[in-house]
Amino acid sequence: MNLTVENVDIFLGAKKIVKGIDLHVANHSFAALLGPNGSGKSTLLKSIYRVLEPRSGTIYLDDLKMKNIPVKEIAQHISVVSQFQSNSFDFTVKEIVLMGRTPHLRALERESSADYQLVDEALHKTGLYELKDRSISKLSGGEKQRVVLARAIVQSPTLMILDEPSNHLDIKYQLEILHIIKKLGINALAALHDISLAAQFCDYIYFIKEGEIKHHGKPKEVITKEILKEIYEVECEVYEDSRTNNISISYYSI
Amino acid sequence: MISRDNSMNKINVYIVLIGLTVLLLFTVILGISVGTLKIPISQTYAIFMEKILNLEPSNETYSGVFWTIRMPRVLMGLIIGAGLSLCGIIMQAVVQNPLAEPFLLGISAGGYLGATIFIILGSGVLGAFSGLGLAFTAFIGALSAAVSVLFLASYKSSITTTKLILSGTIINALFTAIANFVIVFSGTDNTISRVTYWTMGSLSSAKWDNLLLPTIAVCAATIYFLTQYRTLNAMLQGEETAITLGVRLNFYRKLYIMLVALLTGILVAACGIIGFVGLIIPHIARALAGPDHRRLIPVAVLIGSTFLVAVDILARTMIENIELPIGIFTAIVGAPFFAFIMIQKNYQFRD
C-alpha cells in the first residue's frame, strides 16, 4: 500500500512537534527519515501507525483515509518495527514472532501450516532460528530487536514502518536488517540515524528538523555537505567511495 | 519469575491438564468427606451413586451432609477459585502487569462496599434478600473501584507498577472506610457480625440456590476469555505493539475491565473478600504452562479450583469445631508469596 501524509500537524500536550509535513512512499520504495534527535521523526511515525492522532492533516493508505480504516485491517497492511517494549511476561521467541499473524486470524481460527512456515522463514531470515525456543528475557538487546523485525515480517505487510530499527545492533546486523527490508520489496519508511547506511539502502530521503521537512530527494541529491550542515550543524565532507560506490561522510572535529 | 528455557509442547500441556483434573477430583472427594462429621471415602462413592440412581440412601446422615452441606460448599470453592484466578489473569493482561489482582487493586473492596450498602440499607427496603440485587450492587461497587484505580494510575502519565499498586491501596482504603462507615452508622448487631465475617471471606453460606449465579458467571467468563487468547497475548506485548497488531486496545481494555468487575462483584457477593488467589494462581500457572493464554487459562482455572477447595478444607478442619474464614488462609499463603515476588531480583518492579 502506498502511504501519503498530507499537511500533518501533531501536538504533544501544548507543544507542536510536527508542523505541516507532507510525505509520500510508493511503488515499493524504501524511504528514510533523517534528522537530529527531537526533530519529530518518531512522533510522525507514531501518528502513521496510529498510536498518536494528528491534530490536523490527513494520512492516506492508497486512496483511503487511514482514520476510516478499521485497526485490524490497517494491521494487515502495515507492520511496525520500533524499540522492543520489555514486559514481565516471558514468551518464547517463536511465540512472539507468531503473534505477527494476529491481524490475519479470526478469534478462534487456528494457525495454519502456512502461518508456521512464514514464522520459520522469518526466523531464518533474521538469524533467530536457533534461538526460537529461547525465552525473550534471555536475549540480548540486538536479538530482541531482530525478534521484533521477524514479527513484523510475519505480519506480511505491504508497508513497513521502522523507528530506528538498527539501534542496539552491531554493524553486521545493521546491514542485514536493512538488506532484508530492501529485499522484501515492499514500501518502507524508516527513521534512521546513520546517514551513510540510509544513502546506501534507501531510494528516497526526507530530512526533518524542528518538525518540518527541510529537504527531500534521492540520496545523492540531498546528502551534501551544505544540507548536513543545515540539519545536523556539523561540518563534513561528502564523497563517493570509488570501491563500494557508496556515499561516504567524513566529519571535521569541532 | 520462574522461567522456562523451552516452550512446552502440546503433549506436555495435555499431561498437565489431565494431572490437574485428577488432582482436582481427588481434592473434591477429600473436601466432601472431611469435616466435623467424617464421611468415609468408601461411602462417598456409594452415596453419590445412590443419588444418581435415585435409590433410598443407606445412611441418612451421611447422605444429608453430603448433599446439603458439603457438596454445594466444595462446588462453591471450586467455582470461586476458578473465577478469582481468571480475574487475576485478565487484570494482569489489561494493565500488562503480573501484580494486578482484584484484591490488591481494591476491586474486591469496591464489591464489598456495594454489597454492604445492599445488605445494610437495601435489603430492608427491598424486603426479601435477593441474590441478584446483591450481586448487582457488588458489581457496581467493583466497577467504580476498577475505574477509579485505572484513572488514578494512568492520570497524566502511563500506568506503572508503583502507581498501580499505590492506587489500589488508596482505593482499597477509601472503599473499605466508606463501607465501614455505613456499617457503624446504620448497621444492627446482626448485620454487623454478618458483614465482618464477610470481609474475611467464607464459603460457609454456600447453598445449592446461591451457587447458580457464580457458576453461570464463571463458566461463561472462562469460555469467553478462552476465545480471547490472541487478543490477550497481544495485550501483554505492550500498548504500541497491541495496536500495531490490529487490536482495538481501548475497546477491549474497557470491555475486559467491565467483565472482570462484574465477575468480581458476583464472587464477592457470594463469599466475601478472598484475597491473593488472583495473584498466586496465575504465577504458578505461568511457571507451569508459560504466558500464552491459550494454555494459561485452562491450567490456571484448574489450579485455582483445587487451591481454594484445599484451603477451605484447612479452614474447616484446622481447629476442631471452629470454622475459620478462608480469607485468613489465602492471606497467610498469599502475603509471603507477594513478598517473595517483590524481592525476586530479576523481577521488573521498576517503572
Side-chain angles (χ1 to χ4, degrees), chain B residues 115-131:
Chain B
T116 305
I117 290 175
F118 184 84
I119 288 182
I120 292 192
L121 307 175
S123 55
V125 179
L126 292 172
F129 179 84
S130 140

Side-chain angles (χ1 to χ4, degrees), chain B residues 182-205:
Chain B
V182 172
I183 294 165
V184 172
F185 204 69
S186 39
T188 61
D189 283 350
N190 178 28
T191 48
I192 288 176
S193 69
R194 214 168 113 209
V195 167
T196 318
Y197 197 67
W198 210 40
T199 59
M200 294 183 264
S202 174
L203 299 175
S204 58
S205 63

Side-chain angles (χ1 to χ4, degrees), chain A residues 46 49 51 71-72 75 80 82 85-92 95-96 99-100 102-103 105-111 133-135 138 151 155, chain B residues 3-7 10 92 96-98 226-227 229-230 233-234 236-241 243-248 286 291-292 294-295 347-348:
Chain A
K46 280 198 169 81
Y49 59 81
V51 169
V71 183
K72 187 162 176 167
V80 178
S82 60
Q85 289 180 287
S86 65
N87 59 58
S88 316
F89 301 94
D90 219 5
F91 285 90
T92 66
E95 286 170 336
I96 291 195
M99 281 180 209
T102 304
L105 297 164
R106 274 163 306 171
L108 279 176
E109 194 178 348
R110 288 213 152 253
E111 291 87 354
D133 293 323
R134 198 74 75 79
S135 67
K138 299 229 164 69
R151 185 178 64 206
Q155 215 172 324
Chain B
S3 64
R4 313 147 299 135
D5 271 322
N6 288 303
S7 74
K10 274 186 187 137
Q92 289 157 16
Q96 298 141 45
N97 194 313
L226 273 173
T227 70
Y229 69 87
R230 203 169 271 130
N233 284 346
L236 289 191
Q237 303 310 306
E239 290 176 32
E240 243 186 68
T241 309
I243 293 172
T244 62
L245 288 176
V247 170
R248 285 154 69 203
R286 275 194 199 96
D292 186 343
R294 201 178 327 199
R295 299 183 295 252
Y347 202 81
Q348 295 205 335

Side-chain angles (χ1 to χ4, degrees), chain B residues 250-318:
Chain B
N250 281 329
F251 169 76
Y252 280 109
R253 270 189 171 167
K254 282 179 198 147
L255 176 67
Y256 291 174
I257 289 169
M258 288 275 288
L259 291 175
V260 167
L262 180 59
L263 192 54
T264 307
I266 291 172
L267 298 181
V268 167
C271 61
I273 298 180
I274 299 177
F276 293 104
V277 178
L279 179 77
I280 306 169
I281 305 303
H283 265 89
I284 295 172
R286 275 194 199 96
L288 267 175
D292 186 343
H293 287 90
R294 201 178 327 199
R295 299 183 295 252
L296 179 64
I297 292 177
V299 169
V301 160
L302 282 173
I303 299 179
S305 303
T306 312
F307 175 76
L308 212 65
V309 174
V311 169
D312 185 49
I313 296 176
L314 268 183
R316 281 188 281 137
T317 57
M318 193 129 145

Side-chain angles (χ1 to χ4, degrees), chain B residues 121-180:
Chain B
L121 307 175
S123 55
V125 179
L126 292 172
F129 179 84
S130 140
L132 217 56
L134 181 69
F136 181 73
T137 48
F139 160 61
I140 298 295
L143 185 65
S144 33
V147 170
S148 317
V149 167
L150 291 177
F151 173 76
L152 256 184
S154 61
Y155 188 65
K156 280 196 171 171
S157 63
S158 60
I159 296 176
T160 63
T161 306
T162 319
K163 279 171 72 184
L164 192 67
I165 300 291
L166 287 177
S167 309
T169 313
I170 293 166
I171 297 301
N172 204 347
L174 181 67
F175 278 59
T176 312
I178 300 174
N180 291 343

